[in-house]
Amino acid sequence: MTGIPERIALVGLSGSGKSTVARLLAGRLGWHMCDTDAMVEQMTGRSIPALFAEEGEAAFRECESAALAAALARTPVVIATGGGIVVRESNRVLLKDQALVVWLDAPTAVLIARLRTHEEERPLLAGDDPAVRLEALRAARLPFYRQVAHLILDTSQMSPLQVAERIIAVVTRTEN
Ligand code: S3P
């Protein structure tokens, strides 16, 4: 990617702050904000947990890919993606080619602590030990996040606003 991008996509595991940062970033830039999870819920008229329970993960992934394609068409746009969007190769190709991809990361313990403050249910983290599940997802997805990311930010010591400002600084090539 060269020049100022017209699409920024945030990737990373659940709890990495993608939706909050995307909202702040889009507000600062005056761009559209798309959240692929919210788009899937709109498209299907169901919550993500209901979609997983009634149709399965594969059906969710189909909708997620359609949501990503629609989001990429709404330029200029900041896109918050679901943590598993990178699992599909076609999604990775679209993201890498069409957006500045920022991987928001933090240690699993930090992500779990953040998730505890949210009501939202994550079907892939349901069960007794979400930290073990999230760690397994991290191990499986690490190569994919590395592959698509143009920029990697460790957000463990940063507020969502600081993350948004850092991304703007990088995008506009100014230091802060
Ligand atoms: C998922 C993460 C969720 C949501 C779905 C699947 C995943 O989004 O897309 O529950 O595969 O990691 P968040 O990353 O916003 O939690």
Side-chain angles (χ1 to χ4, degrees), residues 12-15 18-19 37 48 52 57 60-61 64 81-85 115 120-124 137 141:
L13 292 166
S14 295
K18 294 162 294 190
S19 301
D37 282 346
I48 306 275
F52 265 75
E57 183 175 349
F60 167 76
R61 296 290 169 211
E64 186 177 51
T81 63
I85 204 151
L115 289 172
E120 210 177 308
E121 195 188 322
R122 264 88 177 178
L124 294 183
L137 292 177
R141 294 172 179 175

Side-chain angles (χ1 to χ4, degrees), residues 4 25 71 76 82 91 99 109 125 127 163:
I4 294 184
L25 199 49
N91 292 344
L125 301 179
V163 176

